[in-house]
Amino acid sequence: MTSETLALSRAAAIRQLQAHFEEQKWSLRELFATDPQRVENFSCEAAGIYLDFSKNHLRQDTLQLLIDYAEEQNLNSKISALLSGASINNTERRPALHTALRFQGDAKTEHERAVADCRVQMQRFANKVHSKEWLGFNGKPIRHIVNIGIGGSDLGPRMVVEALTPWHRDSIHVHFVANIDGADLSDTLEDLNPEETLFIIASKSFSTLETRENALSARRWILAAGSNEKQLAQHFVAVSSNIVAAQDFGITPENIFPIWDWVGGRYSLWSAIGLPIILACGYSVYKALLAGAHSMDNHFAQAPLQENLPVLLALIQFWYRQCWSTKSQVVLPYAQRLSKFPAWMQQLDMESLGKSVDRDGKPLGYPSGGVVWGAEGTNGQHSFHQLLHQGTDLIPADFIAIKQPTSELHEQHRWLLACCISQSQALLRGKSLHDARQELEEAGYTHREAHSLAPHKAIPGNRPSNTLILEKLDPHHLGALLALYEHKVFSSGCLLGINPFDQWGVELGKQLSSQIYQSAEAAIPENWDSSTRSLMEKLL
Ligand SMILES: O=P(O)(O)OC[C@H]1O[C@](O)(CO)[C@@H](O)[C@@H]1O
């Protein structure tokens, strides 16, 4: 099918789905009441992850319409194109081969051989640090690693390092600095000894403002502590595809870990951008993470669409966004150590799907990616869940539960899981006006009072959610979870007909910030809007 035919079929299929939506009269409670097998019919398992998607506004015919649409959009062949290294990132004319970063067994392709070499380089380096062979300028072993990077060069490794806390080595502490706000770096360095600190400058482009400025400040901090220029090599390594810029910064070539243009920033934690994971937890943990992701890659490649976890999640998101006009989706990991997962998801989803034109540059005419947000459970229950339950917006939720306790406090873990289950149940069931009235009367309110208070207490319910269960929060399951969402976002991009691999929308702000920074020193251009001019006068 040509791209024009695909675009026409997209518009027609969305209209058909909308018609199906208009006809639908069922409530979630009815769906459960009329189908005793609903959970069996609307759940799947792969790579150690169980997905219950039964609490969604889906009947078998809805799902079939969605699957038909995915087939019409050639999703299967697009998945094959992604995994085989076709130039799927059409605007930047390159493949998106993050899956090659987690290959298992012997390296077969050119990409895999490059990855294998980089793995050896990382392992050797980490061994030197862990064995205390790598010394700082004063001959002291390294005890602190500070990763300086932002966006994809920060969020993935930061989230994984926190998630895998039980695997941390005692001898090494890994820190992350991202923000241009100097407080981020200075607060981090406050209690560190420069003689025992090593910085990873993580930047695919090696030209990102925040990373450049933080790296320069870190360099000054090491020099001020007594290191000479030559000894800086003992305190700085880099991960970058811009080898020249990293060398110009003063990093020796053998301490530059490569990343390639076929690895997108938000998909890069599996590359040398994951070096902090190896330093914090050891190489075997990193390998297990890759293996978990690889098992999800295999599932994504092989499972039929109707049993394919990433595809199902993408279809559900598509259904709500196109037909239910949802504006956002919330991700709720019920695990303290996954507190940074929503931020990672945000970049993955919003940087990929926040587009207004299709792959050919034509206006979409239908909504693309929405807002992704969330926080770890149970904390959100005591703040924003109010809006999930009683607000006017329908916000589909993904709950992520970990079956095995993540601490010694097993009783608390049972409570955590009970809270997680109760939230999706409350979203589904709600509370009728009648029940709210009765509850109030039972609590001693007069009939009249109960009548007037009940609307405030009633909860609409009928609100959808997915629940994902991981047996354990270990490297393997975590790898599979992250790959699941990566592939979900890719599938969403295919369903929307957009290229999810570029992010040119972020460039204008970067250009303007340097113009503003420079103009503040000179004259502010008169043709700029008065608000910007006034803010510059007040602030700069
Ligand atoms: O690794 P780099 O090149 O410093 O880029 C950091 C981040 O900046 C972005 O380009 C957005 O500004 C992200 O896509 C990327 O992950």
Side-chain angles (χ1 to χ4, degrees):
M1 249 197 260
T2 66
S3 58
E4 269 169 28
T5 334
L6 276 179
L8 285 175
S9 91
R10 261 198 308 278
I14 291 171
R15 278 198 301 277
Q16 199 187 353
L17 276 167
Q18 281 165 345
H20 177 73
F21 166 73
E22 300 296 340
E23 279 165 17
Q24 73 147 26
K25 301 271 184 291
W26 65 83
S27 73
L28 287 177
R29 286 166 78 145
E30 282 159 0
L31 289 178
F32 277 95
T34 52
D35 180 5
Q37 299 294 307
R38 184 159 176 85
V39 176
E40 289 73 17
N41 293 337
F42 292 88
S43 60
C44 272
E45 186 157 4
I49 298 183
Y50 170 80
L51 167 67
D52 173 354
F53 60 104
S54 62
K55 288 191 181 98
N56 280 294
H57 292 273
L58 295 172
R59 291 189 318 203
Q60 285 298 354
D61 54 347
T62 325
L63 197 55
Q64 194 52 54
L65 277 176
L66 289 164
I67 301 281
D68 291 347
Y69 172 66
E71 276 166 359
E72 261 169 47
Q73 293 301 308
N74 299 330
L75 184 55
N76 269 321
S77 58
K78 287 177 181 161
I79 294 172
S80 308
L82 170 84
L83 299 175
S84 64
S87 193
I88 193 108
N89 178 353
N90 64 313
T91 54
E92 296 177 310
R93 301 204 184 104
R94 57 196 187 207
L97 258 178
H98 41 283
T99 49
L101 298 168
R102 43 224 194 194
F103 84 92
Q104 305 288 301
D106 297 332
K108 290 181 201 76
T109 65
E110 190 193 325
H111 295 108
E112 289 177 356
R113 281 190 285 277
V115 171
D117 289 345
C118 180
R119 286 184 192 171
V120 171
Q121 189 189 359
M122 289 195 285
Q123 200 176 2
R124 285 200 185 127
F125 167 69
N127 280 345
K128 280 191 192 162
V129 174
H130 289 148
S131 65
K132 302 192 179 359
E133 193 188 318
W134 186 290
L135 303 174
F137 70 88
N138 257 355
K140 291 195 178 158
I142 297 300
R143 288 181 51 231
H144 293 278
I145 306 288
V146 181
N147 188 79
I148 296 182
I150 198 162
S153 301
D154 168 70
L155 293 164
R158 189 194 283 256
M159 178 255 302
V160 172
V161 166
E162 180 177 288
L164 300 180
T165 300
W167 283 266
H168 286 187
R169 290 169 166 253
D170 292 339
S171 55
I172 289 285
H173 303 277
V174 176
H175 314 260
F176 292 86
V177 170
N179 203 330
I180 186 77
D181 181 348
D184 196 4
L185 182 69
S186 59
D187 288 358
T188 304
L189 300 186
E190 177 85 28
D191 297 324
L192 306 191
N193 178 356
E195 297 167 13
E196 302 173 327
T197 303
L198 185 140
F199 292 91
I200 302 173
I201 312 303
S203 176
K204 184 176 162 190
S205 60
F206 219 87
S207 65
T208 302
L209 167 73
E210 292 87 341
T211 304
R212 183 192 71 208
E213 291 301 310
N214 277 320
L216 289 169
S217 297
R219 200 172 187 275
R220 287 190 287 272
W221 184 71
I222 294 284
L223 288 171
S227 160
N228 62 37
E229 293 275 343
K230 208 165 156 240
Q231 290 164 328
L232 281 175
Q234 291 156 253
H235 292 269
F236 287 88
V237 301
V239 182
S240 189
S241 62
N242 189 347
I243 310 294
V244 174
Q247 274 181 267
D248 287 350
F249 181 84
I251 297 178
T252 45
E254 65 273 21
N255 295 337
I256 302 173
F257 299 86
I259 170 171
W260 308 272
D261 67 354
W262 42 269
V263 180
R266 51 194 172 275
Y267 300 87
S268 64
L269 74 92
W270 322 97
S271 71
I273 291 291
L275 194 54
I277 304 168
I278 303 178
L279 289 161
C281 307
Y283 190 72
S284 60
V285 167
Y286 170 72
K287 286 273 289 188
L289 185 80
L290 297 184
H294 183 73
S295 59
M296 185 56 74
D297 295 341
N298 285 340
H299 166 75
F300 187 50
Q302 290 156 15
L305 297 181
Q306 54 276 22
E307 290 163 25
N308 198 308
L309 262 60
V311 172
L312 286 167
L313 286 179
L315 288 172
I316 293 168
Q317 181 177 18
F318 187 78
W319 164 234
Y320 290 124
R321 189 90 177 103
Q322 302 306 323
C323 300
W324 292 71
S325 308
T326 55
K327 298 275 182 287
S328 80
Q329 55 168 324
V330 65
V331 54
L332 302 164
Y334 270 63
Q336 181 58 34
R337 295 198 186 111
L338 286 180
S339 71
K340 303 205 164 53
F341 182 82
W344 173 81
M345 264 286 294
Q346 243 167 6
Q347 187 200 11
L348 177 68
D349 196 296
M350 293 167 78
E351 208 169 59
S352 300
L353 305 180
K355 313 284 165 64
S356 299
V357 294
D358 69 12
R359 289 176 68 84
D360 296 329
K362 306 249 167 44
L364 283 181
Y366 47 83
S368 61
V371 176
V372 175
W373 59 287
E376 70 284 5
T378 58
N379 300 2
Q381 290 180 205
H382 301 273
S383 63
F384 57 78
H385 281 226
Q386 164 63 30
L387 185 139
L388 299 181
H389 292 293
Q390 279 189 320
T392 47
D393 279 14
L394 184 93
I395 303 177
D398 278 5
F399 291 91
I400 300 172
I402 315 291
K403 189 170 171 200
Q404 291 189 18
T406 46
S407 79
E408 297 296 303
L409 306 172
H410 290 196
E411 196 46 36
Q412 287 190 216
H413 192 71
R414 288 183 70 75
W415 270 115
L416 175 73
L417 295 179
C419 289
C420 177
I421 300 168
S422 72
Q423 287 298 308
S424 70
Q425 190 191 28
L427 286 168
L428 159 74
R429 279 173 50 165
K431 186 185 285 179
S432 69
L433 210 53
H434 172 270
D435 288 354
R437 252 185 243 132
Q438 201 174 342
E439 227 177 68
L440 285 158
E441 284 179 17
E442 278 165 18
Y445 287 88
T446 64
H447 182 71
R448 204 191 158 119
E449 285 168 336
H451 210 269
S452 82
L453 282 180
H456 301 277
K457 289 232 163 193
I459 296 173
N462 208 25
R463 299 198 164 181
S465 65
N466 295 307
T467 298
L468 294 101
I469 302 179
L470 275 64
E471 178 66 28
K472 279 178 165 176
L473 186 52
D474 65 3
H476 196 278
H477 288 88
L478 181 64
L481 179 73
L482 306 184
L484 165 60
Y485 276 101
E486 285 182 352
H487 294 321
K488 174 204 167 176
V489 168
F490 171 71
S491 304
S492 295
C494 297
L495 299 175
L496 292 165
I498 62 175
N499 175 13
F501 294 113
D502 62 17
Q503 64 285 321
W504 287 336
V506 300
E507 294 306 324
L508 177 61
K510 292 185 190 175
Q511 286 159 10
L512 292 179
S513 69
S514 66
Q515 281 178 28
I516 288 176
Y517 183 87
Q518 276 146 24
S519 313
E521 299 286 304
I524 303 176
E526 286 190 4
N527 58 349
W528 285 9
D529 66 273
S530 58
S531 166
T532 303
R533 290 167 55 83
S534 144
L535 290 173
M536 287 174 68
E537 273 158 19
K538 284 187 169 56
L539 288 171
L540 294 173

